[in-house]
Amino acid sequence: MHDHDHYHEAKKSILYGIILNSIFTVIELVGGILSNSLALLSDTIHDFSDSVALGISYYANQKAQSSPTKTMTFGYRRTTILAAFINSTILMALTFFLFYRAYLRILNPEPVNGKMVFVIAIFGIITNGIIAFKMLRGKDKDLNIKSVFWHITEDFLGWVGVLIAGAIIYFTGAYIIDPIISILIGLIVIYSAWGIVKESANIILEGVPEGLNVQEIETEIKNIQNVNDAHDIHVWSLGTNYNALSAHVVISNMTVDQSHEVLNRINTMLKEKFNIKHTTIEFECSRCDSDRVCY
Ligand SMILES: [Zn+2]
Ligand SMILES: [Zn+2]
Ligand SMILES: [Zn+2]
């Protein structure tokens, strides 16, 4: 019952974030065009991708509850990984385009409406402040919400920077500040997007999940009683925080009944030490597979 309540609370605060953030993205886009500010447009791209990322978390929160089907035997965990990969790739492409625009602006500064940039920054501070405050309660219970919370807090600080830039432009007319701020925002966007691209590509390409070491896993399996060898080990991730393994394990000659005990020990060890929840283990004895090809 407690878990159920928590699940609804997490869903609600993410939904709240999506709605507020989407409305604000539209305001920002219009403001960016009207004020001729590249800094605002950079942040529009950022906020748009935030809305998509929040949508992905929302979807992940729901799909985490649904079970595999006859045609999707692993379930739908990877859909969010694929979506995150596409979202971050598009985000990076748009940001590189803005870098080019900013470069042209630095060579040839264009007038920017500093007052409007300032006013929209105030809206940005309020919106991000409200979302962060809404998540303050849930952030220690849910990893997903925690990462969103810190992201929103970073956005909040970014807006304080835009606010200061708007004021400087308004009072001094130093228009070159605008493309410079836009490049700084872009660099932050690229930094976080690249992290997501790398992590999701690793999952899609069936790479070993970060923090796991196949050599170490092999040693731990071999350390289990009655295990003589382990090989052909594959470790991958089905989605964030859901690791799987397949392996060939050579055991001493014993009854099927006795081998079950060995299997239990291996599975318990893998779950506790390496957070591997789904395993496929093939038992072999040194004599019975002499002409099989194993890697
Ligand atoms: Zn953001
Ligand atoms: Zn299974
Ligand atoms: Zn084998």
Side-chain angles (χ1 to χ4, degrees):
M1 253 306 138
H2 173 81
D3 271 358
H4 192 74
D5 287 347
H6 159 228
Y7 166 68
H8 274 292
E9 202 182 304
K11 247 179 75 173
K12 243 174 71 183
S13 67
I14 291 178
L15 194 63
Y16 202 82
I18 296 172
I19 293 169
L20 265 185
N21 212 55
S22 302
I23 293 171
F24 189 66
T25 304
V26 176
I27 295 175
E28 213 178 354
L29 178 67
V30 174
I33 292 168
L34 290 181
S35 66
N36 198 29
S37 164
L38 273 189
L40 281 185
L41 286 178
S42 297
D43 216 80
T44 305
I45 293 176
H46 172 98
D47 275 336
F48 174 71
S49 91
D50 277 1
S51 294
V52 176
L54 282 171
I56 292 170
S57 319
Y58 183 74
Y59 177 82
N61 236 307
Q62 270 182 323
K63 274 293 178 182
Q65 309 258 318
S66 75
S67 33
T69 66
K70 289 259 184 261
T71 51
M72 294 293 282
T73 60
F74 281 114
Y76 286 88
R77 291 168 197 281
R78 284 256 177 108
T79 44
T80 60
I81 306 298
L82 190 62
F85 180 81
I86 294 170
N87 183 31
S88 300
T89 309
I90 293 173
L91 184 64
M92 282 174 72
L94 285 172
T95 305
F96 280 122
F97 175 68
L98 267 175
F99 279 167
Y100 171 68
R101 295 297 300 265
Y103 166 72
L104 295 181
R105 283 278 184 104
I106 287 172
L107 296 182
N108 240 328
E110 278 178 32
V112 172
N113 186 336
K115 202 192 217 168
M116 194 180 279
V117 173
F118 186 86
V119 169
I120 289 183
I122 288 177
F123 273 113
I125 287 171
I126 293 171
T127 315
N128 283 295
I130 291 174
I131 300 174
F133 184 74
K134 275 268 163 192
M135 289 180 172
L136 201 58
R137 265 192 319 150
K139 84 172 164 56
D140 292 326
K141 287 185 236 157
D142 187 302
L143 198 67
N144 220 340
I145 294 200
K146 190 177 184 171
S147 72
V148 174
F149 172 80
W150 284 113
H151 181 110
I152 298 286
T153 306
E154 273 168 41
D155 288 1
F156 181 84
L157 295 176
W159 276 113
V160 174
V162 175
L163 185 85
I164 294 168
I168 293 175
I169 292 168
Y170 179 68
F171 287 115
T172 69
Y175 297 133
I176 202 164
I177 294 275
D178 183 66
I180 290 172
I181 291 282
S182 129
I183 288 173
L184 287 180
I185 293 171
L187 287 176
I188 296 169
V189 170
I190 298 270
Y191 177 77
S192 67
W194 179 239
I196 294 171
V197 165
K198 247 176 41 185
E199 198 188 325
S200 52
N202 189 50
I203 292 175
I204 292 168
L205 295 174
E206 323 264 65
V208 174
E210 216 189 295
L212 291 188
N213 181 322
V214 174
Q215 197 62 50
E216 223 174 279
I217 293 169
E218 188 184 321
T219 310
E220 288 289 341
I221 294 176
K222 283 179 181 167
N223 277 344
I224 284 169
Q225 210 188 349
N226 285 319
V227 170
N228 300 330
D229 187 39
H231 55 269
D232 200 359
I233 298 175
H234 296 282
V235 185
W236 70 99
S237 175
L238 294 172
T240 314
N241 214 14
Y242 198 90
N243 301 329
L245 167 144
S246 77
H248 291 191
V249 174
V250 181
I251 54 174
S252 315
N253 208 4
M254 59 177 76
T255 64
V256 177
D257 215 33
Q258 290 163 327
S259 79
H260 198 74
E261 184 60 37
V262 178
L263 186 63
N264 275 344
R265 283 211 194 104
I266 294 174
N267 279 335
T268 308
M269 181 279 291
L270 288 173
K271 201 183 211 167
E272 283 170 1
K273 281 202 170 140
F274 301 104
N275 190 30
I276 294 170
K277 293 168 187 157
H278 191 279
T279 64
T280 309
I281 290 166
E282 185 172 311
F283 279 153
E284 298 168 348
C285 71
S286 41
R287 260 171 307 153
C288 56
D289 70 332
S290 55
D291 54 353
R292 284 190 54 183
V293 183
C294 291
Y295 300 97

